[in-house]
Amino acid sequence: MKCHIIVGIGIISPTWYDSYPAVPTWNYSVVHAKGIIELTDDATTAQVLKSTIQQYEPSLLQSGGFIADDYQQKLAKGIVGFKIVIDELQGKQKLGQHRNQSDQQGVVQGLSLSNRADEKQLLAYIPVIIENA
């Protein structure tokens, strides 16, 4: 089994670069994880769901909350929980490391104007790469 964990992805406009010629491109950072899938039992799957809801929307777990208990039980029948026992990780990034500092700063400025969550995530990651290049 192989899965892809995307840290960030964003379209980069050529208008953000000082250098010419330039074309639109994608910048991204990704991790490829390879391993064996193991299905989890119903109790483990229910605990993972509860923990996830507790972290992101705890009010939904309150008695008489948004999701009624009988409806939760009905939905749980259609959920298959699993985990991946990872035996190999590979990372890859294309973040314009080869571009000059002015072009890199243009990308940072361009992404900072975006309202897209994936591009904001990429923006948070890019300065680390630029500093360590």
Side-chain angles (χ1 to χ4, degrees), residues 60-91:
L60 297 181
L61 295 175
Q62 296 172 357
S63 180
F66 182 74
I67 305 172
D69 289 341
D70 61 332
Y71 190 60
Q72 287 180 39
Q73 292 171 2
K74 180 180 175 183
L75 291 176
K77 293 176 185 175
I79 297 172
V80 178
F82 66 92
K83 64 181 179 178
I84 301 174
V85 179
I86 297 172
D87 56 29
E88 183 181 344
L89 289 174
Q90 297 174 342

Side-chain angles (χ1 to χ4, degrees), residues 39-49 76-77 79-81:
L39 298 180
T40 58
D41 60 38
D42 291 343
T44 302
T45 301
Q47 183 56 45
V48 169
L49 288 171
K77 293 176 185 175
I79 297 172
V80 178

